[in-house]
């Protein structure tokens, strides 16, 4: 359904060029959930902003992005608007950035229904109530009369998801959808997304800095570091047998969502590199416990090492080395 090939994103800044995304290739099939994981600043959001034609004006994308046969990188604003409104929906961390603060929830939902399905009046209201029920919002009639700030964070995120579902999208891009929520509510929102995926066969891209979030929802995982993919595989493989030292580091820092000490995260020592001055070798080398001299000389390409799995690391002996 969505195919990204060799996507590169550069930002022009006063201090030089920022290599935000470098040579990323990804695919999302219908009804599949792809998890994108990596520390803050690793290029997760900009990969999909570029794919949807939403880069800031100082950004430049190259590569190919194909959505069900339409090339999005070269597409006109009209084509992009149609696809973004009808086929691909986005959900962000902070619903307040997408909800209008001074407009009642009911009116906002009705507006989306009017634009996308030509519904108005009672029809729009009935549909809006049905959609709020669909995302398990209690007392939907009462919520329609409320302003976004009158809702809890969890309910606001449910309203966002309801809005995202209004157009019957084929793909939802959820960028840190649960990051601002406490653990219990986080789990409820992830349950809801799983339910949407299973009952409506909606593809989902789940972007998160927290590997714990994707465990119950993603089918496949792509791990990003410093603008590049460093490992890809099924969610089972990534959790049971991580093969890139960075994935291992992330996993060691990931408590389970149901762990009472959740939130007290250890972190991988060191800092991600400056994207304006990337060194020649592997970007993770300065933080890598398995680093070899060769890692500093040449950037390891992402290479397949087992069916459906790939990693950007020259070492195949992590078991023996650790
Ligand atoms: N408009 C911009 N100008 C310059 N740099 C930017 C701009 N937007 C994003 N970046 C940089 O691109 C990199 C990747 O950002 P992003 O994709 O948002 O990371 P993530 O979502 O993984 O946290 C970051 O270093 C960020 O500072
Ligand atoms: Mg982001």
């Amino acid at each position: 359904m969505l195919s990204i090939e060799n996507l590169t994103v550069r930002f022009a800044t006063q201090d030089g060029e920022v290599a935000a995304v470098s040579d990323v290739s990804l695919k999302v099939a219908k009804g599949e959930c792809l998890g994108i994981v990596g520390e803050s600043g690793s290029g997760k959001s900009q990969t999909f902003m570029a794919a949807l034609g939403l880069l800031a004006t100082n950004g430049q994308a190259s590569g190919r992005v194909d959505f069900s046969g339409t090339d999005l990188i070269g597409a006109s604003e009209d084509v992009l608007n149609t696809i973004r409104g009808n086929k691909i929906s986005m959900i962000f961390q902070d619903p307040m950035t997408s909800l209008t603060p001074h407009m009642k929830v009911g009116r906002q939902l009705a507006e989306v229904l009017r634009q996308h399905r030509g519904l108005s009046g009672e029809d729009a209201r009935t549909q809006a109530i049905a959609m709020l029920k669909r995302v398990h919002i209690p007392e939907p009639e009462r919520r329609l009369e409320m302003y976004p700030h009158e809702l809890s964070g969890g309910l606001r995120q449910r309203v966002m998801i309801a809005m995202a579902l209004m157009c019957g999208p084929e793909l939802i891009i959820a960028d840190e959808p649960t990051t601002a929520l406490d653990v219990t509510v986080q789990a409820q929102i992830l349950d809801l997304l799983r339910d949407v995926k299973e009952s409506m066969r909606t593809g989902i891209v789940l972007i998160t800095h927290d590997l714990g979030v994707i465990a119950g929802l993603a089918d496949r995982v792509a791990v990003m570091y410093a603008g590049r993919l460093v490992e890809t595989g099924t969610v089972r493989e990534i959790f049971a047998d991580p093969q890139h030292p960075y994935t291992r580091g992330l996993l060691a820092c990931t408590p389970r969502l149901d762990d009472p000490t959740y939130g007290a995260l250890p972190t991988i020592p060191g800092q991600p590199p400056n994207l304006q001055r990337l060194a020649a070798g592997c970007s993770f080398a300065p933080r890598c416990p398995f680093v070899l001299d060769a890692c500093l000389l040449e950037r390891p390409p992402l290479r397949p090492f087992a069916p459906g799995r790939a990693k950007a690391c020259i070492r195949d002996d992590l078991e023996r080395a650790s």
Side-chain angles (χ1 to χ4, degrees), residues 44-45 175-176:
K44 307 181 298 295
S45 297
D175 193 347
E176 308 269 3

Side-chain angles (χ1 to χ4, degrees), residues 300-320:
L302 186 70
R303 63 183 170 95
F305 66 93
R309 304 193 63 182
K311 67 171 174 177
C313 178
I314 57 171
R315 297 205 66 163
D316 285 318
D317 58 348
L318 298 190
E319 269 66 37
R320 269 174 289 134

Side-chain angles (χ1 to χ4, degrees), residues 89-103:
S89 288
M90 297 196 72
I91 302 171
F92 298 99
Q93 171 175 347
D94 180 7
M96 288 310 266
T97 58
S98 320
L99 296 173
T100 311
H102 56 266
M103 203 193 274

Side-chain angles (χ1 to χ4, degrees), residues 12 16 18-19 91 112 116 128 182 186 208 218 220 254 271 289:
V18 176
I91 302 171
V112 178
H116 292 291
D182 70 48
Q186 219 177 85
T208 174
R220 281 184 311 118
T254 305
Q271 293 293 319

